[in-house]
Amino acid sequence: MAPVVSSVSPTQGPTAGGTAVTINGSGFSGVTAVKFGAVSASFTVVSSSQITATSPPGSGTVNVIVTATGGGSNAVAYTYVSVPVISSLTPGRGPTTGANTVTIAGTGLAGATAVQFDTRPATITGNTSTQVTATVPATPAAPADVTVTTPGGASNPLPYYYIPTPTITLLGPTQGLASGGNTVTISGSNLTLTTAVHFGAGTATGISVVSDSQITANAPAGSGSVTVTVTTPGGTSMPGPGNAYYTYLAAPGVSSLKPSQGPALGGNTVTLTGSSLTYADEVRFGGVPVSFAAVSDTQVIAVAPGGAPGAVTVVVHTPAGNSAGIPYQYLA
């Protein structure tokens, strides 16, 4: 009686052969040959209902036939699958924490059974003959070889780069005008691949990478004190050690001087009353910088310098800019 083949497992394998294939059926006593298409395969009869065979090299879909003393069996299909080839990763880099999605493009990717980043398995979330999407596993910062495995075997590797999270340790200046626009130097680490800088919810412009430890950016408009963050393919910086905070200031204003006049020899104390004066960093009488102390947000005390008889303009400067000038009169 001729043998009967009911199934083969697996039903696919690489064109190079070498796959262990289990053949299930009946009447396997006295088996003399197992063929994949026209090519004979090495085999072992396990029982009258099971044979293990090693697929020979081949291509396309072929018929598996078992021959015994009672004749040849029915045919069951077995498909040879080409080794997958991957051509690109999008993106080709990401955070050490993983969890981002990578799209792997190539050929022969159907039926992907595994995606690995070096020896770390990724979770496959989508698969076609030309594309695999996978969730990246976590790993320390270093390049990793990505491969895709299908019934045809393991693909060529492509490098994926794990990028460390950026950090911010210092801003300069840490204050500026509410309308923004001033250039802020941001110091820290892992800043080379910066793609965005935020001042609170505001997006900075004019980003320039100076080095891996320093970038510059133009502050957007804002108010109050905000956290500055840097985003790279390695993620977004988090507040931590160092100064990552920026304060928006209203422009200073001076409404009165007391006294508003004084001797040409100078040396007298003048009280400047106004608003947003806490961060005063310079006071000038007629363009001459003078000694001063910011007493409160509404008051600065300054020592008038000497000057020629007549009026000069007094101006207070803060990180938010200059106040409007107010006159001071030198007496003869």
Side-chain angles (χ1 to χ4, degrees), residues 49-139:
S49 61
Q50 190 174 86
I51 296 170
T52 58
T54 301
S55 64
S59 62
T61 298
V62 298
N63 290 323
V64 177
I65 296 175
V66 175
T67 301
T69 53
S73 71
N74 59 304
V76 174
Y78 179 86
T79 302
Y80 285 98
V81 181
S82 298
V83 176
V85 176
I86 59 176
S87 55
S88 67
L89 306 176
T90 306
R93 54 198 180 193
T96 57
T97 53
N100 55 307
T101 297
V102 168
T103 299
I104 306 166
T107 58
L109 303 180
T113 55
V115 172
Q116 288 189 290
F117 286 62
D118 284 340
T119 59
R120 292 171 291 278
T123 301
I124 296 173
T125 57
N127 186 201
T128 67
S129 62
T130 59
Q131 184 173 287
V132 179
T133 55
T135 302
V136 180
T139 193

Side-chain angles (χ1 to χ4, degrees), residues 60-286:
T61 298
V62 298
N63 290 323
V64 177
I65 296 175
V66 175
T67 301
T69 53
S73 71
N74 59 304
V76 174
Y78 179 86
T79 302
Y80 285 98
V81 181
S82 298
V83 176
V85 176
I86 59 176
S87 55
S88 67
L89 306 176
T90 306
R93 54 198 180 193
T96 57
T97 53
N100 55 307
T101 297
V102 168
T103 299
I104 306 166
T107 58
L109 303 180
T113 55
V115 172
Q116 288 189 290
F117 286 62
D118 284 340
T119 59
R120 292 171 291 278
T123 301
I124 296 173
T125 57
N127 186 201
T128 67
S129 62
T130 59
Q131 184 173 287
V132 179
T133 55
T135 302
V136 180
T139 193
D145 283 333
V146 178
T147 56
V148 175
T149 300
T150 72
S155 72
N156 58 299
L158 284 182
Y160 178 87
Y161 299 93
Y162 282 97
I163 309 299
T165 304
T167 63
I168 296 177
T169 56
L170 185 66
L171 303 179
T174 59
Q175 302 162 328
L177 193 62
S179 59
N182 57 306
T183 299
V184 178
T185 298
I186 302 168
S187 301
S189 60
N190 307 316
L191 304 179
T192 296
L193 301 177
T194 296
T195 56
V197 176
H198 287 90
F199 284 61
T203 302
T205 59
I207 298 168
S208 177
V209 175
V210 179
S211 68
D212 195 52
S213 60
Q214 190 173 92
I215 60 175
T216 60
N218 297 329
S223 62
S225 291
V226 298
T227 301
V228 177
T229 59
V230 172
T231 300
T232 74
T236 298
S237 62
M238 296 291 290
N243 185 0
Y245 304 97
Y246 183 86
T247 301
Y248 286 99
L249 304 176
V254 179
S255 57
S256 67
L257 304 178
K258 187 177 180 179
S260 60
Q261 58 185 18
L265 292 176
N268 56 308
T269 299
V270 179
T271 299
L272 290 70
T273 299
S275 60
S276 303
L277 302 179
T278 297
Y279 297 102
D281 52 25
E282 187 175 64
V283 175
R284 289 178 176 265
F285 278 61

